[in-house]
Each structure stands twice: as C-alpha cells, then as structure tokens.
DNA sequence: AGCCGTCATGTTAGCGAAAACATCGCGCCT
DNA sequence: AGGCGCGATGTTTTCGCTAACATGACGGCT
C-alpha cells in the first residue's frame, strides 16, 4: 500500500499530505488547543490515508518526563494477577507510560525494594494486596517520595490515592439475595482475620440480616482462612450442626468450592439441598460444578482506574501541587450461576437416597 | 543524593563524570565494540555513582527501528495467561521492545486482527494456544509478512519459530512414576481431541506402559474434554468399573481435581485409596486438598524464550536474511505433592467404612 | 624509516514528536 | 481609525541516545 517499501510514516509525512505543519498535526493528535474543524478534518484524513500511528518512543522523549510506573505484587492469586495485568497494561499503553511489573521476593525487605525502584527510575507504584496493607511499606514509599496508589487495600491510606470495591455492600447484597430466595438459616464462613476485606464482608452479612429482621445466630458463623483447606473444615462444622444452614455464604470462592465438595461428599445436592455462594469470581468459580454464584470484583477496571489516578498524580506534580489523594469506590456485580436456589420446602427433610 | 533536585542523569552526565565522551558510555552500556577495561570500569563507576539508567524511549528512538511485539491471546486460562504475561513482560523490557497485549474478540475474524496489527505497527506476534493451532491464522500472518512464534502449539509451524514443551515425554515420566510406585491399573483421562497436546500426553502414557511391559487396557481410558465437568463423568465411569484403577492420571489439573472430588464423594481417601495425578500445575492444583501431584509447564520460561526468538528474528531481518525458524523444546518438571502414593496392598479391598 | 591497518575513542547528525516561542490575520474596543 | 488581543498556525529547539563517520595513537610490515 505504501509508496515506498521503506519506513513507517511520520508526523511529517502526514503534515505534507495534509498541507499543514507538523505542529498542527501534533495538535490534532493530542486534541489540544484550537484547530479549525476544517483543518482538523484534513489532518485526520491524511492520518487515515497514510495509516499513521505516532511513535510512542518519540512521544515519551519529547513529552519531557518519561513516566514509569510499576505494578508491585508479592503473592496474589494468579487469576487476580492476570486481571490486574490486563487492566493496567491496557491503560498504561493508553497513557503512553511504561509499565514495569515486579514480583517481590518472599522475605520482603522494604529497603531492597526501594533501592531497586530508585534504580529503575520508577515514578509511581500500584500496590495490590497484601503489600498495600503493610504500613511500613507505605511509610517507606512516602519517605522516598514515590507516588503510589493502593488497590483493594484494607484501610484507606493517608497520603496516597486508593481504589477499592465496596466489600461490605457486596456482601450485604449477596446476603439479601439469599434471604429473598427464602433462606432463613444462612451460614457464613469468615476469612482470614489478617485481611480486613474479610471483616468488611462479614459486616455486610450482619447488616443484611439486620435489614431482614433475622437473628444473628453465632453458631452459623465459622472461621476460615481464605484457603480451600479451611473451607473444608468450616463447611464440615456447619453441616454437622444439629440444625444445619440451608445456605452457606463463604468469604471467597476457594472456601465456597470447599463447601460444595463437602456437601457432595455427604450426598447433598447443590443447590437442591444446600445453596453455596462465594466471593471474588475467580476462575475456580466457573471450573467447578455447579458453577458458583458469587460476587464479581471488577479487578481489571480497578487496575485501569489505578493507572489513571497514578498518571494524573504524576503529571499533576508538574502542573500544580494540589495533590489531594482521591479515593474511588468501584462497582461490583453479583453474578448468579448454578449454586443457589430456594431452600427445600421442609428444610429438615432428608435428601432422597 | 543528587546535586540538583532536577532531572534524572543522562548519558552526558555520566560521560562528564567519567571523563569520557557520551559515545563511550553508550558503548559500555551496550557492551559493544572494544573498550579498554580501564575505561569500562571508570564508566561503570560513574554509572553506579550517579545511579544512571538509560532512557528506553531515547534508545528506541535512536536505535532506528522501534520493535513492537504483541501477545495475542483468545481464551487461555487466566493462570496460563498470567504466567505468560510475567515472562514476556520481563523479557520484553529486557530487550527494550514494546509489548502490547491483545485479547481477541470471540468471533475471531482473522482479517480484522490483521488490520489492527498493521495499524498498531506490530512487528511480531507471540501466539499461545489456541490461536497457534489455527492454520488460517498462521497463513494470514505469513501472507501479511508479520513474524510470529507459536507457543505450545500442537504442530510445528512451517514458517515460524516455535516454543514447546515435550508433552509426550512428560506424560511418559509421570506414568513411569506411577508404575514405580507400584500401580498396575492406571486409569487415564484423555483431553479434548481438538487439542493435540492431549493426544501427545496420551501417547506418553501408552509409551510408558509399554516400557514397563504393562498391557494397555482400553477400559481404563476415559474420554475427557479438559474441563472439570467432563472430569467428573470420566472419574465416575472409571470408578464404576468392576475392577477400578488404583491410580488416575488426568490430562490436566481440572479433570484431576474432579476425580478427587468424585473419590471423596465415594468415601475414598486420596491418595490412600486412589492416587490422582494431573498435568499443567495450575493454581487449582494447589488450592484443592490434597494438593495435586502434577507436571509443571514452564510457561513463563516459554514466554521468555518466545520473546527472545522474536526479537532475534526481527533484528536479524536487518542483518541477514538467513531467517531459518528455530524450534525450541523446554524442560518440564514433575512436581510431587500429596495426591500420589503406593497402592494399598490388596487393591480390591474395600475402603474402611 | 615510512606507510598502513587497527584499536580506542571523539564528533556530528539525526530519530519523531512536543514545548516554547514566533507569526499572522482578523474583529472589537475606545 | 488605530491598536489590542486572541485564535489559528508555523518555526525552532529540545529530549537522550546511537549510527555513521572521523580522529589519533601505536605497532608491524616491507
């Protein structure tokens, strides 16, 4: 298609084609300043005709500051990670910033990390759990003058922006959904107390019960650790109760999957004899059978938002020093699949042999 | 630490500090041509002292060609994807090439993709499954003159380089391991026939049986589809046999997990009463209980190798047109966890009630 | 002894885009 | 009516680095 087989068209080629100066083309590309509509259209036509796309490298070079941000993670589940990566990569290329991805070695030495970040000229960092909940990490970052935004952190950080999902509300809606289905005895499997999100999910459960005027039965609450193994124990305990729940709401999908396994082990049909719901919408939720009804956390959206915020903060540094961190709360979605149903008419009846 | 609070040090600062010209610094950085050891050390010292790191943007700009490669995926599991991303991102930044990550919309229109790639000035593509197994995709890419390397493809592509793992050998070793444990009746759950890797894993199983002089019992072979649900059916079928296997080797972890679930549902202990092994080492393998003995596919290494190959091909284009595609086979690793054990002394004995 | 190749290093000229500054034309205000 | 201001566009310079070429010193060869 090209006149010459040689190189990709540059902004100068476009300018020539459109009969304007390169600067005008640049303005059109960046949508800046005033350009007459007629001129804009001409330039756009030239761009389309030549199949021009700006060189990211040249842009970064000329644009003054070269922004490099880093997604620093230590130990999230891979599904969480890949969502995170997808979202942040996309948005990073969108803003034309470099995105490094860094895995923190296990004995996490804050100084070592900082030294590395300094060395790699990282301007800003995205911190997913569990790093975002480490006060020393946060403090060290602040002292080093590196911008950060926490993602799904337990606590709202003091000096940084944050992106979160409303765990409490999500759990409340899920519980409300269970109540609407007709369940009255709803078991809850708590998460690892070290993670605050588990706590907030529990609060949502409690609140929804109160909303519905249902009593909070302590015996229906089992402690879990967020992992499958603990979910096994918790479900075992719940189903051993003299009057077992008709539904189990677990704090994450792994534990919910464990509850399904235990139920099947006892010959219970899910959801016929027992409704099981999870939280997070990890791939596990759709690999097991029946597929789990769960809460979908918009991880890639959160990552996108985090990049946006970080870039805004970073670019803003030059403009003004207003620097107020923002805190955004993203929408979750309750996704209904096949593990929930109304309780059997006579909850205490035996499943058919 | 910096003299001025202003900007990051440039190659010129380093040159001044070391008392040489910028070009010499550039040569040291790129490890090119002959630089006297003494000079090299001086420059290195200056680099360290200033904490200098080269600007990727400037490098790409000056370096002539700006290489952009793309990881094009359609539908892999997220764990596979995140490994892929980690490896390729790391290596891409290592080579200072841009890495775009592109998800293909479901109704995969090859032309649309090509148009997009052209537009985004992508020079080379990494193709994981299932895209790498689409002949039309491969043909279209070749016709468009875009370089590609397939990753874990079923067939060795004609015109592109490829990265693979030896599925056949891995399955053979796993089976051999099971035999060494004392198992004689080893069930096999095949994968979706559409994927060739499943076929090659099956071949490995057959070969290992032959190695051990064990008969190939057709009744012990169940067809699966690579998903959990199909694993449930396959395991059910296998355990319903008048003389059930003492071990089940599933073609992937999802189906192995299903087999564990079925075993538990029947009151069978894993691995006491039944050994279950998987393949792939997905996160699922370590979330369920007991954790699965499986084959670890070095996905991130494969991604790294893919990037290396692609960059070499792309840069080589300028140098010479030798252009012979290479095909590399990476090592797998058999990872033993808690789902395998020697069979019970009397295999036909009932599990204790 | 003089010439030339070769190694080690310096100099110049961009790469493609955007910032900063310059220009030009036009309508509006006093 | 003259100047002022501003909107639309052009020119120049700059970003950090490397390719290509230039230089200079040194040693082996005839």
């Amino acid at each position: 298609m090209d006149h010459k087989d040689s190189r990709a068209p540059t902004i100068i080629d476009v300018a020539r084609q459109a009969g304007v100066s390169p600067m005008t083309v640049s303005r059109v590309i960046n949508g800046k300043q005033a350009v007459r509509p007629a001129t804009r259209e001409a330039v756009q036509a030239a761009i389309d005709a030549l199949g021009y796309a700006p060189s990211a490298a040249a842009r970064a070079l000329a644009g003054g500051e070269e922004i490099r941000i880093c997604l620093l993670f230590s130990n999230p589940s891979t599904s969480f990670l890949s969502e995170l990566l997808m979202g942040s990569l996309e948005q990073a290329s969108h803003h034309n910033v470099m995105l490094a991805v860094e895995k923190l070695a296990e004995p996490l030495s804050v100084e070592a990390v900082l030294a590395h970040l300094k060395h790699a000229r990282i301007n800003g960092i995205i911190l997913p759990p569990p790093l975002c909940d480490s006060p020393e990490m946060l403090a060290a970052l602040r002292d080093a003058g590196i911008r950060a935004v926490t993602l799904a952190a337990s606590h709202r950080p003091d000096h940084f922006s944050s992106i979160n999902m409303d765990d409490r509300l999500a759990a409340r809606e899920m519980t409300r959904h269970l109540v609407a289905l007709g369940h009255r005895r709803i078991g809850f499997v708590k998460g690892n107390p070290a993670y605050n999100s588990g706590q907030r999910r529990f609060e949502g459960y409690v609140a929804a019960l109160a909303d519905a005027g249902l009593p909070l039965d302590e015996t229906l609450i089992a402690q879990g650790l967020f992992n499958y193994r603990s979910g096994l124990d918790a479900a075992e305990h719940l189903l051993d109760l003299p009057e077992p729940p008709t539904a189990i709401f677990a704090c994450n999908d792994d534990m919910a999957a464990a509850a399904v396994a235990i139920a099947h082990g006892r010959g219970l049909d899910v959801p016929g004899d027992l409704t099981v719901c999870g939280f997070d919408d990890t791939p596990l939720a759709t690999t097991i059978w029946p597929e789990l009804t769960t809460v979908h956390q918009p991880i890639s959206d959160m990552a996108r938002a985090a990049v946006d915020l970080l870039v805004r903060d970073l670019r803003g540094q030059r403009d003004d020093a207003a620097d107020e961190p923002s805190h955004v709360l993203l929408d979750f979605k309750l996704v209904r699949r096949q593990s929930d149903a109304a309780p059997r008419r006579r909850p205490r009846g035996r499943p058919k042999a």
Side-chain angles (χ1 to χ4, degrees), chain A residues 15-271:
Chain A
R16 192 154 30 222
Q17 167 104 4
V20 298
S21 80
M23 198 57 228
T24 302
V25 177
S26 171
R27 283 194 264 258
V28 170
I29 295 169
N30 297 295
K32 294 224 282 198
Q33 308 203 193
V35 176
R36 250 187 323 165
T39 315
R40 182 179 302 276
E41 276 167 35
V43 171
Q44 194 57 54
I47 289 177
D48 294 343
L50 264 47
Y52 166 79
S55 148
R59 231 128 93 124
L61 225 207
E65 192 136 25
E66 192 178 347
I67 295 188
R68 304 170 66 109
I69 63 182
C70 174
L71 175 63
L72 195 61
F73 69 96
S74 72
N75 197 14
S77 72
T78 63
S79 64
F80 186 80
L81 180 58
S82 77
E83 289 270 350
L84 220 52
L85 284 169
M86 294 306 304
S88 44
L89 276 171
E90 184 189 320
Q91 209 63 3
S93 86
H94 200 277
H95 285 295
N96 194 32
V97 305
M98 307 242 47
L99 202 237
V101 179
E102 208 66 54
K103 173 160 186 165
L104 220 51
E106 247 326 297
L108 10 110
S109 138
V110 173
E111 311 103 56
V113 183
L114 281 187
H116 176 74
L117 294 176
K118 277 270 188 212
H119 184 77
R121 349 197 124 284
I122 298 293
N123 310 103
I125 298 189
I126 298 176
L127 281 180
L131 256 34
C132 54
D133 292 321
S134 150
E136 53 168 349
M137 186 75 199
L138 256 23
L141 244 25
R142 185 168 53 81
D143 293 345
I146 298 180
R147 280 311 248 274
V149 19
T150 66
L151 195 150
S154 291
H155 304 283
R156 177 171 289 198
D158 283 343
H159 306 279
F160 297 130
S161 294
S162 71
I163 310 282
N164 266 86
M165 190 195 105
D166 197 337
D167 285 285
R168 195 171 175 286
L169 183 59
R172 191 166 174 177
E173 287 202 4
M174 178 62 91
T175 310
R176 209 194 304 259
H177 166 68
L178 261 17
V179 170
L181 240 30
H183 292 278
R184 291 296 170 266
R185 297 184 58 73
I186 302 172
F188 189 85
V189 183
K190 289 168 119 174
N192 187 330
Y195 292 90
N196 215 286
S197 58
Q199 178 58 30
R200 279 175 293 146
R201 290 170 194 183
F202 179 60
E203 289 168 14
Y205 163 77
V206 172
L209 253 30
D211 290 349
L214 254 27
L216 178 62
D217 185 346
E218 293 284 352
T219 61
L220 288 179
I221 298 162
Q223 183 68 53
L225 253 28
F226 274 140
N227 61 35
Y228 189 86
R229 190 67 223 265
S230 71
L232 250 22
D233 296 340
E236 201 89 66
H237 165 76
L238 252 21
L239 295 179
D240 274 344
L241 253 27
E243 201 169 351
T246 60
I248 293 182
F249 178 15
C251 235
N252 76 353
D253 290 341
D254 285 21
M255 298 192 295
V260 170
I262 291 294
H264 283 165
R266 296 178 175 224
L268 257 28
D269 177 52
V270 176

Side-chain angles (χ1 to χ4, degrees), chain A residues 270-295:
Chain A
V270 176
D273 301 313
L274 179 72
T275 282
V276 176
C277 293
F279 204 111
D280 285 345
D281 197 17
T282 60
L284 184 61
T286 50
T287 64
I288 66 162
W289 180 85
E291 297 188 353
L292 287 176
T293 288
T294 186
V295 173

